[in-house]
C-alpha cells in the first residue's frame, strides 16, 4: 500500500517563535481522531500529540498556549509538567523523564506539513 501524502497543517507564518501552538487533529485509519499540535522553537517547527504523559489530557486545555513565561518550556495546564519544546522530554513534574509522542513534521514551501500518519499512536 502506498504511503499517505503529506498533510498541510498550517502556513509557516502562523507559528511565531515561542508563540501559541497551532492545534490540529490526526485522523487514524479507523476514523478516530487524535489531538496534536505544532510549535516553533528557536526557529524550528516541532510537532507532538497533544497528550500529557502524566494523565492523557490535552496539555493546553484547548487554547494553544503551551509555552511557559520563560519561552523555553511547554507546560501542561493541568499539573504543570514542563517539556522541552525541541525534544518533548519532560524535565519537571509528575511525568519527569518521559517524553511527548513526537510527530514527523517539516516546514517547506511556506507551510508546516505532517509527513507521515503515525499509526502507532492511533
Ligand atoms: S495531566 Fe499533565 S501534569 Fe498532570
Amino acid at each position: 500500500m502506498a504511503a499517505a501524502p503529506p498533510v498541510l497543517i498550517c502556513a509557516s507564518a502562523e507559528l511565531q517563535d515561542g508563540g501559541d501552538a497551532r492545534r490540529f487533529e490526526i485522523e487514524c485509519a479507523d476514523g478516530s481522531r487524535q489531538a496534536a499540535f505544532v510549535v516553533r522553537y528557536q526557529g524550528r517547527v516541532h510537532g507532538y500529540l497533544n497528550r500529557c504523559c502524566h494523565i492523557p489530557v490535552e496539555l493546553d486545555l484547548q487554547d494553544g498556549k503551551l509555552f511557559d513565561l520563560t519561552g523555553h518550556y511547554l507546560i501542561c495546564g493541568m499539573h504543570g509538567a514542563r517539556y522541552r519544546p525541541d525534544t518533548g522530554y519532560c524535565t519537571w513534574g509528575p511525568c519527569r523523564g518521559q517524553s511527548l509522542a513526537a510527530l514527523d513534521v517539516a516546514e517547506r514551501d511556506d507551510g508546516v506539513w505532517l509527513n507521515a500518519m503515525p499509526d502507532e499512536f492511533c
Side-chain angles (χ1 to χ4, degrees), residues 51-59 75-83 90 92-95:
R51 182 192 303 158
C52 187
C53 295
H54 177 214
I55 296 171
V57 298
E58 296 182 15
L59 296 165
I75 188 165
C76 177
M78 188 65 76
H79 304 114
R82 286 176 174 78
Y83 296 91
C90 181
W92 187 91
C95 43

Side-chain angles (χ1 to χ4, degrees), residues 29-50:
D30 66 0
S32 66
R33 303 179 82 82
Q34 298 284 336
F37 66 86
V38 286
V39 292
R40 185 182 302 282
Y41 178 66
Q42 296 185 337
R44 298 196 58 190
V45 170
H46 304 276
Y48 301 99
L49 282 192
N50 195 351

Side-chain angles (χ1 to χ4, degrees), residues 1-2 5 13-14 19 21 25 36 40 43-44 49-51 66 68 73 77 86 90 102 114:
M1 191 162 93
E14 291 183 49
E25 289 188 330
R40 185 182 302 282
R44 298 196 58 190
L49 282 192
N50 195 351
R51 182 192 303 158
L66 282 164
D68 71 354
Y73 293 95
D86 53 349
C90 181
L114 177 64

